[in-house]
Amino acid sequence: MVKKTKSKTSRTKVPQKHSRNGRRPTSAPPQERTYSIPDHRLERLSITLRQVRHGDSVRYEVSGDLSAPAPPIRDSKYLNQRQCIEIYRWMVLNRKMEAALENLYKQGKVVGGVYFGLGQEACSCASAYALKPDEWLGPMIRNQGSLLVRGFSARDIMMQYMAKAGSPTKGRDASSHFGDIQERNVVAPISTLGDLIPVLAGVALGARLQGKDIAVMTYIGDGGQSTGVTYEGLNFAAVQNLGLVLFVENNLWGYSTPADMQFRVEDLAERAIAYGIPGVIVDGTDACQIYDAAHEACERARRGEGPTLIEAKMMRMKGHAIHDAAEYVPKPLFEYWKKRDPIARFENYLLNVKKWLTRAEHDKLIAEVDAELEADRDFAVASPMPEPETAAEGAYCDGCHEIRPKYGVPKPPARGSAKLKESRAQVHLK
Ligand SMILES: Cc1ncc(C[n+]2csc(CCOP(=O)(O)OP(=O)(O)O)c2C)c(N)n1
Ligand SMILES: [Mg+2]
């Protein structure tokens, strides 16, 4: 039985009762185990999508209470005024940068497609904000806000989309397929859905072997979480107590497949029970809920207690990429989620609820973001494409990278150490 607890951070498992010889009495009724999944949302989504077939064509119909007003933002247990404003600024930059990318695409300046995180900015920005500089992030294509928080500029991202010589991959790859393992501790997105999970688990294991428990964070969608490698990676992290913070970004669509046709569980956070790790549900459009869940999961990771699965519920407010008009999404669903816009609601929270920003201060913040973006876009547009004769360079490393351990050399646990004894004891028990 799964109990959804409102805003508690504990998960309990009621052990089965056994007789003295360790076996359950044969006449006893079956015992129920109870698990709880903290659900921090301030509203419950009660909408269902139904697939309707007409001859060869398929469409989706939405039903439920679509008139419900948007919920308020939940006060953060950890963020102060300055931090909330910082996260808000990242979210605004994230959105405005993507709008600029859409325009650049329409002007024919982008090489390849453009992927958007519209409606998901709180999830990208507030999650990455919980990591320390020394820790690691593995973003997916919609997490461009996470890249900004991690220290890439809008200029880097725009240059990358335009395949410019000065872009992070020097024009060798397109869209957001880039990272930085030297300075910013960002693993490049991997297109094969789920593969980032074992890679990030490996990063945490690497840090552990070098004597440090760190938090590593990555994301997977409602579609991508169905892959086998998601199970393998998360299970490995669970068994090894690695500090993986996995955001399951349930944005209701995996390309044109609605979440209702992707999985049968009510909430993807329930999957955590099967991995033996904590699972949490948050409103993916509420930056405070995202941050608090990420922070608690990171703290757990730093204590060496293992991974956490955080399901962030939200809606992909555009098509899969710029080429997809998302005609298959029922319009009322867009309208429902537009009322839950993460930026508009956070703005209202900062200005009217907390009164942490005056209207003039807010206008100044927006003007600064606009000016930064304009300068970055002009620089990116004016910068050159790579020289053709350099095409073969930089695709394969020929000794140009020096890869050093980040946290020191591997430290095997001393013989007889408490940790080693404990892990031997666990192995013995099995
Ligand atoms: C293993 C694998 N299968 C299929 C694809 C093709 N593909 C790329 S994105 C995508 C949809 C992903 O949906 P979801 O995981 O919900 O993420 P979202 O796009 O909604 O953020 C698919 C099917 C892929 N990249 N990798
Ligand atoms: Mg999805």
Side-chain angles (χ1 to χ4, degrees):
M1 188 199 281
V2 182
K3 270 200 209 156
K4 301 281 150 53
T5 48
K6 259 179 141 184
S7 273
K8 275 200 215 141
T9 46
S10 65
R11 175 181 149 261
T12 53
K13 175 175 139 188
V14 179
Q16 294 193 5
K17 290 207 174 74
H18 296 277
S19 68
R20 255 194 243 152
N21 64 6
R23 292 200 197 103
R24 204 183 313 149
T26 47
S27 59
Q31 300 284 321
E32 269 192 0
R33 293 180 181 194
T34 306
Y35 300 87
S36 39
I37 301 279
D39 183 349
H40 299 280
R41 290 173 301 163
L42 294 170
E43 73 170 358
R44 303 288 173 275
L45 187 61
S46 57
I47 290 174
T48 46
L49 272 179
R50 208 163 55 92
Q51 192 186 62
V52 184
R53 284 181 177 274
H54 287 288
D56 282 347
S57 74
V58 167
R59 64 189 169 81
Y60 299 105
E61 276 179 5
V62 61
S63 57
D65 183 10
L66 294 162
S67 65
I73 297 289
R74 183 186 277 287
D75 283 336
S76 169
K77 285 188 265 174
Y78 309 107
L79 292 168
N80 61 28
Q81 173 176 0
R82 179 189 58 77
Q83 292 170 312
C84 280
I85 294 170
E86 254 175 46
I87 292 174
Y88 175 72
R89 191 184 189 282
W90 289 125
M91 288 163 62
V92 171
L93 182 61
N94 182 177
R95 177 161 304 177
K96 284 179 175 274
M97 180 190 69
E98 291 185 5
L101 279 169
E102 185 168 5
N103 288 335
L104 290 168
Y105 179 90
K106 288 175 181 163
Q107 292 163 16
K109 295 193 167 89
V110 166
V111 180
V114 178
Y115 296 84
F116 299 101
L118 188 68
Q120 304 187 196
E121 296 90 345
C123 188
S124 290
C125 299
S127 56
Y129 196 83
L131 286 174
K132 293 184 177 168
D134 197 23
E135 297 179 324
W136 285 75
L137 180 87
M140 287 296 283
I141 46 171
R142 298 196 198 292
N143 303 117
Q144 305 187 114
S146 321
L147 289 172
L148 294 170
V149 173
R150 216 51 215 163
F152 284 101
S153 64
R155 177 193 296 194
D156 293 323
I157 298 172
M158 289 192 279
M159 300 245 284
Q160 175 72 16
Y161 268 106
M162 289 189 277
K164 295 294 179 114
S167 70
T169 61
K170 302 184 170 54
R172 302 298 188 273
D173 203 343
S175 69
S176 46
H177 284 105
F178 65 95
D180 173 7
I181 59 169
Q182 306 288 347
E183 303 292 328
R184 300 180 182 92
N185 293 1
V186 173
V187 178
I190 304 173
S191 283
T192 327
L193 299 171
D195 278 12
L196 268 176
I197 297 169
V199 170
L200 268 291
V203 171
L205 181 60
R208 159 93 48 87
L209 293 174
Q210 293 167 43
K212 198 163 179 201
D213 278 314
I214 58 164
V216 298
M217 183 181 288
T218 189
Y219 309 82
I220 187 76
D222 46 285
Q225 59 79 39
S226 294
T227 57
V229 70
T230 297
Y231 171 81
E232 293 165 36
L234 191 47
N235 186 59
F236 179 74
V239 168
Q240 296 287 338
N241 274 343
L242 299 172
L244 180 71
V245 179
L246 179 64
F247 268 90
V248 178
E249 297 186 302
N250 183 355
N251 62 7
L252 301 177
W253 298 90
Y255 222 119
S256 56
T257 303
D260 299 42
M261 296 186 71
Q262 187 71 237
F263 52 86
R264 290 293 289 180
V265 282
E266 193 182 329
D267 298 297
L268 284 169
E270 287 168 28
R271 297 249 195 267
I273 297 164
Y275 292 103
I277 63 172
V280 184
I281 300 172
V282 288
D283 175 349
T285 62
D286 180 332
C288 292
Q289 288 185 37
I290 292 279
Y291 179 85
D292 283 12
H295 173 75
E296 284 171 7
C298 287
E299 286 291 293
R300 189 177 130 76
R302 291 165 195 143
R303 292 192 300 268
E305 291 173 9
T308 305
L309 188 161
I310 303 167
E311 180 187 5
K313 291 183 189 275
M314 53 205 169
M315 162 88 173
R316 190 194 72 199
M317 293 300 277
K318 273 187 172 284
H320 176 70
I322 201 155
H323 60 269
D324 172 18
E327 288 295 338
Y328 47 84
V329 178
K331 300 287 166 288
L333 203 55
F334 277 127
E335 285 151 27
Y336 175 88
W337 282 98
K338 200 159 189 298
K339 283 190 274 178
R340 284 144 184 80
D341 183 89
I343 295 183
R345 271 170 46 240
F346 208 23
E347 176 189 331
N348 179 57
Y349 179 75
L350 297 174
L351 270 78
N352 303 323
V353 179
K354 301 303 269 189
K355 304 201 188 308
W356 281 346
L357 272 179
T358 63
R359 177 55 59 192
E361 285 164 346
H362 179 259
D363 291 351
K364 186 164 168 272
L365 181 152
I366 299 291
E368 280 168 12
V369 170
D370 283 339
E372 177 186 326
L373 205 51
E374 207 177 306
D376 276 2
R377 191 200 51 217
D378 290 351
F379 182 94
V381 168
S383 69
M385 298 297 277
E387 296 294 337
E389 56 272 24
T390 68
E393 294 169 14
Y396 298 98
C397 177
D398 48 11
C400 48
H401 289 80
E402 193 198 345
I403 311 222
R404 282 169 289 131
K406 285 244 167 182
Y407 308 98
V409 289
K411 288 180 187 155
R415 290 192 81 78
S417 80
K419 262 204 169 164
L420 193 65
K421 272 186 191 152
E422 191 188 310
S423 70
R424 288 223 176 103
Q426 279 172 7
V427 171
H428 185 67
L429 274 176
K430 282 181 183 169

